[in-house]
Amino acid sequence: MARFVDPLVVGRVIGEVVDLFVPSISMTVAYGPKDISNGCLLKPSATAAPPLVRISGRRNDLYTLIMTDPDAPSPSDPTMREYLHWIVTNIPGGTDASKGEEVVEYMGPRPPVGIHRYVLVLFEQKTRVHAEAPRERANFNTRAFAAAHELGLPTAVVYFNAQKEPANRRR
Amino acid sequence: MDPKDGERMGAAGPGPLSRQGSIYSLTFDEFQNTLGGMGGGLGKDFGSMNMDELLRSIWTAEESQAIASASASASASAAGAGAGPVGDGGAALQRQGSLTLPRTLSVKTVDEVWRDFAREGPPGPTAGGAEPQPNRQPTLGEMTLEEFLVRAGVVRDNPAAAAAAAAAAVSAQPVAPRPIQAVNNGASIFFGNFGGANDAGAGAMGFAPVGIGDQAMGNGLMPGVAGMAGGAVTVVSPVDTSVAQLDSMGKGNGDLSSPMAPVPYPFEGVIRGRRSGAGVEKVVERRQRRMIKNRESAARSRARKQAYTMELEAEVQKLKEQNEELQKKQEEIMEMQKNQVLEVISNPYAQKKRCLRRTLTGFGEPKFLLYISDQQSRMYQC
């Protein structure tokens, strides 16, 4: 089932990371037992391990998953936009990201300043891709990557927020 | 601002702070009387006021004066005890240098400051036009407002010094909400900045320009800005309050053209009159930038909240629809089951017939068994 894109527009994910698209594939992202909803706030400690990303779609279609942080290093001055956190290619439809090929190893959110958005974008591949990992994670461009690998527009996007946890939390 | 004024400011140094028609040349006693006469019911003696309150009351008085001078220029001179040539435009609003109220000072009462003076001894040469003769000012009541403010360190005649002080204040307490800075006569410097700030603000967020917002706030504090061209007073308060003010104020431009300020605001003229004071400019710029950043961050926060709310609403909607669908399905199934039962009950003949037909088409035992079971179940029918 296609997700509603308005939260992505309001959250400026559409615009700053990807262009306007019509969701055609359902993607659920779960850190631990719970699926996340767009715009929810997660603790970096809860996102240290890669999430379970399940996608719909047909078994013989392949998908690419990219996770980036458009707010690095600080949301008010995102000089590293986008910071790359994860690339998995060749994920068969109807499975999860662990069935694909991890091109760039998952790196958990570690926002130094402010509340960052972490965007997971799913593209449908035309064919099997052999993507090379970018030399560095900073200043990655999802659009450019998609263009380079003929991925077209996204088919699903999920994003969440994370903020640095205080060193000693009173509670 | 004409350049002559700037020269006067730079060269005069310890020159009088006030122009004629200014309430700064009044002594405390006179000032209190004036306020009483204006019906400004203070309900409080100056001595027990803190410096913030004192300044505010001075500004209030100035406002009334400005209004008076706008309606009838003669009344300004009536209110002011001083003599001398008329300054440029709205003399009542004119002040020189910069008003800076550090936190420590702003909470002190006038009496406390007065006592500090007494301890310090005679005023220095910078203390206004009066000669340093302590015996001539035995009481607070006889001191002029101007002198008092200068000695209290609220007013500096030299803009550079003011800038330095302002810079120090800013760097020392970058986010302290209390200190009030009123940069007067440096208004042109301010407005020059507003251009840049506006660009940045509008470009970044599409918000009401920052500088104008502040200006509007200044107007709010001093409604009678008749002498705007001559020398306006801009109050820059720390980011949080000014943002709140801006929100409540709405568009600054609207305020500028409101009846509060009947004289149209000559923006170009002010920019032309841009003067030295790079320090102030820098501080102001930094402040504006911080303000813009703060506003951006607030907008992001709102967007974040809204996006999440939308997502949850969409989720709720989706679940509701799903729930409805499932309930409908369930109802249909229940209905179907009920119908089946009812059909069996109300039209057993069809059932029987079917059974019979089946029995007829069947062979041997099953036929008999089916028939029996049917008969057993609906004995009364037979």
Side-chain angles (χ1 to χ4, degrees), chain B residues 35-47:
Chain B
L35 282 186
M38 284 174 183
L42 283 169
K44 211 172 172 185
D45 183 46
F46 281 122

Side-chain angles (χ1 to χ4, degrees), chain A residues 1 3-4 6-7 10-12 37-40 75-76 115 159 161, chain B residues 205 293 296 299-300 303-304 306-308 310-312 314-315 318 322:
Chain A
M1 186 153 131
R3 275 180 182 252
F4 187 52
D6 282 8
V10 175
R12 300 194 194 194
S37 356
N38 278 326
C40 67
S76 56
I115 302 176
Y159 87 99
N161 296 306
Chain B
M205 300 306 297
K293 261 194 182 173
E296 277 174 22
R300 263 199 307 275
R304 222 171 13 238
Q306 199 191 346
Y308 191 46
M310 268 175 146
E311 172 76 11
L312 294 185
E315 196 80 22
K318 198 177 80 185
Q322 232 170 35

Side-chain angles (χ1 to χ4, degrees), chain A residues 44-126:
Chain A
S45 60
T47 55
L52 176 62
V53 181
R54 280 168 298 193
I55 60 171
S56 65
R58 284 172 302 179
R59 185 61 68 130
N60 43 5
D61 283 338
L62 295 174
Y63 296 88
T64 293
L65 176 73
I66 297 172
M67 176 171 159
T68 67
D69 169 9
D71 299 319
S74 140
S76 56
D77 193 20
T79 52
M80 293 185 191
R81 172 180 295 173
E82 306 154 30
Y83 194 86
L84 183 62
H85 281 263
W86 202 17
I87 295 184
V88 184
T89 58
N90 303 325
I91 308 170
T95 64
D96 65 86
S98 67
K99 305 293 185 293
E101 297 161 21
E102 196 172 57
V103 174
V104 173
E105 204 185 341
Y106 176 81
M107 178 184 150
R110 285 200 286 266
V113 184
I115 302 176
H116 292 217
R117 292 163 295 169
Y118 294 89
V119 187
L120 291 110
V121 190
L122 187 75
F123 292 97
E124 187 178 327
Q125 299 170 199
K126 286 202 173 72

Side-chain angles (χ1 to χ4, degrees), chain B residues 1-3 188-189 191-192 266-276:
Chain B
M1 277 287 118
D2 59 341
S188 53
I189 297 170
F191 298 147
F267 201 75
E268 287 80 6
V270 167
I271 285 180
R272 229 185 297 127
R274 191 178 185 132
R275 241 189 294 125
S276 67

